[in-house]
Amino acid sequence: MHRKDSQQQRVRAFAVIAFVVAGAACARPVAPPPTPQPVIRPPQLVPSPASLVTASGAAFNITRATGISVDTTNAEVRAIGEMLAALIRRPTGFPVAVTSPSTTAGGAIILRLAPERSSLGGEGYELNVTTDSVRLVAASPAGLFRGIQTVRQLLPVDIESEMGIERSSWTIPALTIVDQPRFAWRGAMLDVARHFFTVREVQQYIDVLALYKLNVLHLHLADDQGWRIVINSRPKLTAIGSLTQVGGGPGGFYTQQDYQDIVRYARARYITIVPEIDMPGHINAGLAAYPDLACSTRPPGLYSGTDVGWSTLCVDKEATYAFVDDVVREISAITPGPYFHIGGDEVQTLTPEQYVRFVERVQGIVNKYGKKMIGWEEITKARLNPTTVAQQWKSDSATAALQYGSKLVLSPAPKAYLDMKYTPSTKLGLNWAGYVEVRDSYDWDPATYMKGVTERDIVGVEAPTWSETLRNISAVEYLAIPRLPAIAEVGWTPQAARDWENFRSRLATHEPRWQYLGVNYYRSPQVPW
Ligand code: ACM
């Protein structure tokens, strides 16, 4: 925050000097000074768009008179127009009216839904900027939302300031962008079980996802150390199971209203929440609440350590499936997204037969409540439905999913696990998958990463953040930025349009944005800041 304030003071001081110099020039009886030409920066977009053509030298300048024109009868499109207006109003102080196209006032920024442009896909958009107008067209509201993130990144970084800024120009370079994502699933996962994160903290993370055009937030809602969402039919899950976290802190949980607030906040940014309840393992918090669900006669207590693989539901008890049914039913009812994540990883205390029987039965329960199942790659030991998705994280075992027509989300730990340390001197994070610098996260192609897995087999990519060492969202951000923007580009940009040297120089220009936004980040020596 201090950095941000001092940056704004620098900007202010510059504005005052510019004013004094201009005044002195006007005092002499000579021709008026030429109108200052705005500095037009080349676009520094992350993720890089599928296609971009710049018109050299020209730009659109936002002024006090600029308005945004949208079809105001479409509430969703209007809300997107209002989001862009709010972004511009904050640092500029300009009124930025949002009006319907028939109104002649202002309206030089035009957002238009064009369902007939179906070749743009569900999240694509076309952006045309000239000196006269900014025209954004998409076949869906999600495309318009992704497009306004591009407009945002094309504006000077001062657009992110929370405070008024004196600038002579707010330009957007003249260009044409036609853009859509490579993969349908571009996700991040946040482990709210090992440490609990408040609703506001989760929303702060969603804001980062939105800026980089990510569209899935997977919430790891239960693990050995904590159960983090109220299940009305099983009240002890949170009454008892939420009471601690790694290191023995107080833990916490979301009411169903809290969870719905997160879902709504994400939805307004065209981000799908994927809830995960990890089972049959990673379940100690649930067993501490309902000891009858364990096979052991010794009641388990709450756990605040970090070992894995030792807890399991008693999969041979019928009561276990009534429990799973309650949990899946209640969470599915408040989850508009199509997926329910069952975890399924690191089960060391069941036979393969027991594990497979459990996963297949739970798959039926998830489907019964209208959701598609997703699970960590271990679930590929079971017979999967074609709608089920396997999430690769550690090996090539996920390829077994392909025989069932199931698809994969790739989260390879040495590339996409944001809880891995950057280098041996990184204070936060773990290193079981090695050290993961920004280039490691960027420089890989999902379509060639695994033998036998082609582009068509992959729904997308996801960057998980496990929170054993992370006690607040600032710590999460330190590990996520800049690797999450790197994964965002892996998921969005066509492989042929990606290049590390180009990426790292674009990435460097985002640093003042992060400073303005108050988000923490790692100043990697690989990036030319
Ligand atoms: C995992 O990292 N245990 C999925």
Side-chain angles (χ1 to χ4, degrees), residues 194 278 282 308 345-346 376 378 391 393 417 432 466:
R194 267 50 173 275
D278 206 342
H282 288 274
V308 298
D345 57 321
E346 298 182 306
W376 298 105
E378 287 92 329
Q391 185 165 12
W393 63 280
Y417 265 36
W432 61 261
W466 301 97

Side-chain angles (χ1 to χ4, degrees), residues 11-26 36 166-168:
V11 171
R12 288 246 169 81
F14 177 78
V16 169
I17 291 163
F19 176 78
V20 170
V21 170
C26 285
E166 301 289 335
R167 283 184 64 95
S168 58

Side-chain angles (χ1 to χ4, degrees), residues 87-429:
L87 180 85
I88 298 169
R89 280 178 200 136
R90 199 173 50 183
T92 62
F94 297 158
V96 199
V98 177
T99 58
S100 62
S102 55
T103 313
T104 46
I109 300 177
I110 299 146
L111 273 47
R112 191 166 64 85
L113 203 53
E116 73 280 5
R117 296 288 304 273
S118 56
S119 64
L120 290 170
E123 291 181 276
Y125 63 92
E126 180 173 322
L127 177 67
N128 288 287
V129 182
T130 65
T131 50
D132 297 330
S133 66
V134 174
R135 291 171 183 275
L136 179 64
V137 176
S140 68
L144 288 178
F145 184 80
R146 303 294 174 238
I148 68 168
Q149 302 312 312
T150 296
V151 172
R152 176 183 180 185
Q153 289 194 14
L154 289 170
L155 279 159
V157 290
D158 293 340
I159 201 69
E160 308 292 355
S161 171
E162 293 274 351
M163 295 153 66
I165 290 269
E166 301 289 335
R167 283 184 64 95
S168 58
S169 68
W170 293 93
T171 56
I172 305 175
L175 46 65
T176 297
I177 289 175
V178 184
D179 196 14
Q180 61 180 293
R182 177 181 181 188
F183 291 112
W185 183 306
R186 305 175 311 282
M189 187 211 80
L190 185 60
D191 172 9
V192 298
R194 267 50 173 275
H195 280 100
F196 181 68
F197 298 88
T198 63
V199 171
R200 185 60 207 132
E201 285 181 305
V202 176
Q203 290 172 341
Q204 284 174 257
Y205 201 48
I206 289 171
D207 288 341
V208 176
L209 268 59
L211 175 60
Y212 292 108
K213 299 189 174 78
L214 293 159
N215 68 350
V216 171
L217 177 63
H218 162 184
L219 289 175
H220 184 77
L221 289 164
D223 211 300
D224 289 322
Q225 300 83 353
W227 187 287
R228 306 298 181 205
I229 182 166
V230 167
I231 303 296
N232 293 320
S233 57
R234 306 277 176 163
K236 288 188 207 163
L237 285 172
T238 42
I240 294 173
S242 77
L243 296 178
T244 195
Q245 58 188 8
V246 167
F253 64 87
Y254 306 121
T255 63
Q256 292 199 357
Q257 187 58 51
D258 289 337
Y259 176 79
Q260 287 173 282
D261 287 346
I262 292 171
V263 166
R264 245 192 314 278
Y265 192 88
R267 202 174 194 185
R269 289 152 185 81
Y270 298 89
I271 292 170
T272 300
I273 297 294
V274 175
E276 176 187 355
I277 299 295
D278 206 342
M279 50 187 148
H282 288 274
I283 194 75
N284 181 73
L287 301 181
Y290 293 100
D292 286 353
L293 297 171
C295 286
S296 128
T297 49
R298 194 159 41 87
L302 293 172
Y303 179 70
S304 58
T306 58
D307 289 344
V308 298
W310 48 276
S311 64
T312 183
L313 289 165
C314 196
V315 300
D316 298 327
K317 279 186 184 170
E318 208 44 41
T320 290
Y321 299 94
F323 168 78
V324 171
D325 196 286
D326 284 343
V327 170
V328 174
R329 184 185 66 252
E330 288 198 30
I331 294 177
S332 295
I334 53 174
T335 301
Y339 288 100
F340 188 100
H341 201 304
I342 68 145
D345 57 321
E346 298 182 306
V347 179
Q348 291 165 13
T349 57
L350 296 177
T351 66
E353 294 72 26
Q354 284 178 309
Y355 176 82
V356 162
R357 241 183 302 124
F358 176 83
V359 169
E360 291 177 2
R361 219 168 140 182
V362 171
Q363 179 172 245
I365 294 170
V366 169
N367 293 165
K368 180 175 76 171
Y369 290 112
K371 299 300 179 194
K372 300 175 190 175
M373 188 173 89
I374 171 165
W376 298 105
E377 66 182 62
E378 287 92 329
I379 64 162
T380 59
K381 297 190 187 91
R383 261 173 309 162
L384 303 179
N385 294 334
T387 57
T388 293
V389 171
Q391 185 165 12
Q392 186 275 340
W393 63 280
K394 63 171 181 180
S395 76
D396 60 3
S397 78
T399 53
L402 304 183
Q403 68 189 294
Y404 303 110
S406 299
K407 294 199 188 300
L408 308 182
V409 167
L410 300 199
S411 300
K415 303 287 180 192
Y417 265 36
L418 303 181
D419 58 312
M420 291 300 112
K421 292 175 183 289
Y422 293 100
T423 72
S425 58
T426 308
K427 298 266 189 310
L428 299 168

